[in-house]
Amino acid sequence: ENSFALKMFLFQFVNLNSSIFYIAFFLGRFAGRPGKYNKLFNRWRLEECHPSGCLIDLCLQMGVIMVLKQMWNNFMELGYPLLQNWWSRRKMKRGGQLMEHKISLPQWEKDWNLQPMNLHGLMDEYLEMVLQFGFTTIFVAAFPLAPLLALLNNIIEIRLDAYKFVTQWRRPMPARATDIGIWYGILEGIGVLAVITNAFVIAITSDYIPRFVYAYKYGPCTDQGYRQEKCLKGYVNSSLSVFDLSELGMGYSGYSQANSQGFSLLYRYRDYRAPPWSSTPYEFTLQFWHVLAARLAFIIVFEHLVFGIKSFIAYLIPDMPKDLCDRMRREKYLVQEMMYEAELEHLQRERKKNGKQYHHEWP
């Protein structure tokens, strides 16, 4: 059962999160530059992010998944057993059973006509909650409304599940369990993945690190300290590179400007590349490498800081209180003493029965 749960989780996780990971970390990263775009099979250009950045696309994708997917799940969880029970009652009517006879049936026989529970019990319910936990933690930096939408969904779903378990499903067979099984390990893995993913989202997908580098290294407040919006003056112009449209043989562009170096048609695009009149045209500038180094440093510092705080809180709040641990150790000691006394009495009885001398000590 644990193996089946793990396989189902991995399948659903990849199926539901592949588009989000693609938008967050791969969309527009390998598209190339104007004049030298990368093409699939030398025919189709790779798609790029919205001009405002990939974070907007990621936010929209998360909003669609958190709203529409949860609504669809609730509809299917309640609608599917309702439809099946309606079809079963319809077949019973066709079989010649009168309504009066059906009403007079005992309650246990009415319950037998309801839908049976899944063979794996509550695995589907666990899977739904674990996947929702992944949505609300892995990309919460891109869509902060995800926990609120999950809370509203769970308030509604807990009532729908109660109605479903009482009126639409048969009573499940009881089974004892010491814990939630492999789901605890899956939740721990999602928590670790969430820290790493949010670090990459903040550093790579958002513009937080480029703005930070510009404010402290290239902006008007260089070597003067950060003074909020004033230090970001000119950031948009610094984040745009220049491309000469005459290289493509184009005579007009929606965005062009006159240039004293002789380039009359210039196009601006998001990147950190040298202008066409430099000694190394369209190569990455020093600012690009500064931003890349800052992104990598932020990821490392953020991960270690969050994991350190997590470990410190786990140390302050242990899974089991100290007094309970002491009581368990005392119970274990008492059990060992009882086993020792029982074995000693057994050996003494054996010696007495055989006529041998015995002493009140361990032989």
Side-chain angles (χ1 to χ4, degrees):
E1 185 176 352
N2 287 338
S3 299
F4 179 73
L6 180 60
K7 292 175 183 177
M8 285 298 298
F9 166 76
L10 292 177
F11 173 78
Q12 294 287 350
F13 182 82
V14 174
N15 185 39
L16 296 174
N17 290 273
S18 56
S19 62
I20 307 178
F21 276 92
Y22 169 72
I23 293 174
F25 305 125
F26 298 99
L27 180 61
R29 307 294 175 186
F30 311 101
R33 62 171 178 83
K36 193 178 179 181
Y37 284 112
N38 298 324
K39 296 185 178 181
L40 189 63
F41 302 115
N42 294 323
R43 184 174 180 180
W44 296 289
R45 268 184 57 184
L46 299 178
E47 60 179 342
E48 299 182 63
C49 295
H50 191 270
S52 60
C54 294
L55 195 64
I56 299 299
D57 297 336
L58 180 60
C59 182
L60 292 176
Q61 182 77 359
M62 284 292 299
V64 170
I65 290 178
M66 289 300 298
V67 175
L68 297 183
K69 179 183 177 298
Q70 294 187 143
M71 292 175 60
W72 176 255
N73 285 345
N74 290 335
F75 173 77
M76 289 300 297
E77 282 188 17
L78 186 60
Y80 185 69
L82 278 173
L83 183 61
Q84 284 188 319
N85 289 329
W86 171 82
W87 185 254
S88 299
R89 290 192 298 268
R90 190 167 182 269
K91 288 195 300 183
M92 291 173 61
K93 290 180 180 179
R94 286 186 175 182
Q97 297 187 18
L98 299 177
M99 288 296 297
E100 294 80 2
H101 176 64
K102 189 180 73 168
I103 294 175
S104 63
L105 292 176
Q107 184 63 41
W108 63 268
E109 195 165 345
K110 292 179 182 179
D111 293 341
W112 176 255
N113 294 327
L114 299 178
Q115 297 302 313
M117 179 173 262
N118 191 341
L119 180 63
H120 296 281
L122 297 176
M123 199 208 72
D124 291 337
E125 303 294 332
Y126 275 110
L127 180 61
E128 182 182 4
M129 290 295 102
V130 170
L131 291 174
Q132 185 192 78
F133 176 73
F135 283 127
T136 56
T137 55
I138 294 179
F139 290 98
V140 69
F143 190 65
L145 283 178
L148 176 61
L149 294 176
L151 174 63
L152 297 177
N153 171 80
N154 292 346
I155 293 175
I156 299 173
E157 185 175 0
I158 194 172
R159 304 312 308 167
L160 294 180
D161 285 345
Y163 177 79
K164 177 182 66 176
F165 280 112
V166 173
T167 64
Q168 303 301 320
W169 278 10
R170 297 176 189 169
R171 182 177 299 177
M173 295 294 294
R176 295 185 61 182
T178 57
D179 51 25
I180 61 175
I182 199 173
W183 297 110
Y184 180 79
I186 293 176
L187 291 173
E188 286 282 343
I190 291 178
V192 174
L193 180 62
V195 175
I196 299 174
T197 305
N198 281 287
F200 274 88
V201 168
I202 297 173
I204 296 177
T205 310
S206 69
D207 287 339
Y208 175 76
I209 298 300
R211 290 171 180 266
F212 182 84
V213 172
Y214 176 81
Y216 282 92
K217 183 68 178 177
Y218 298 94
C221 298
T222 303
D223 300 329
Q224 299 179 9
Y226 184 72
R227 291 183 176 84
Q228 298 179 356
E229 291 80 5
K230 178 183 177 182
C231 299
L232 293 176
K233 185 178 180 180
Y235 166 73
V236 175
N237 185 62
S238 174
S239 63
L240 298 177
S241 299
V242 180
F243 176 71
D244 182 16
L245 291 176
S246 63
E247 297 181 11
L248 302 178
M250 300 179 63
Y252 175 77
S253 173
Y255 184 91
S256 60
Q257 64 180 17
N259 189 52
S260 60
Q261 283 81 0
F263 299 98
S264 58
L265 296 174
L266 299 179
Y267 170 78
R268 306 298 299 274
Y269 61 98
R270 288 175 61 97
D271 211 340
Y272 296 102
R273 293 181 182 271
W277 55 81
S278 67
S279 58
T280 56
Y282 305 120
E283 294 293 330
F284 289 118
T285 61
L286 184 62
Q287 188 175 357
F288 169 81
W289 300 109
H290 285 164
V291 171
L292 180 61
R295 283 172 168 170
L296 296 178
F298 174 82
I299 291 173
I300 295 174
V301 172
F302 181 85
E303 291 178 358
H304 284 72
L305 179 63
V306 174
F307 285 133
I309 295 174
K310 173 183 175 297
S311 302
F312 179 70
I313 294 176
Y315 173 77
L316 292 180
I317 310 175
D319 295 336
M320 190 177 297
K322 186 177 183 303
D323 57 344
L324 181 59
C325 292
D326 295 339
R327 287 166 57 188
M328 293 178 63
R329 291 172 57 188
R330 175 171 175 77
E331 289 180 0
K332 184 178 179 180
Y333 171 76
L334 294 177
V335 169
Q336 291 178 346
E337 286 289 324
M338 292 173 60
M339 294 176 61
Y340 170 81
E341 294 293 338
E343 185 67 20
L344 180 61
E345 291 180 3
H346 174 71
L347 292 177
Q348 290 174 349
R349 284 196 302 268
E350 290 293 326
R351 288 190 173 187
K352 184 177 181 180
K353 182 171 64 175
N354 297 331
K356 296 181 179 179
Q357 186 179 5
Y358 65 94
H359 303 280
H360 293 283
E361 60 181 8
W362 187 260

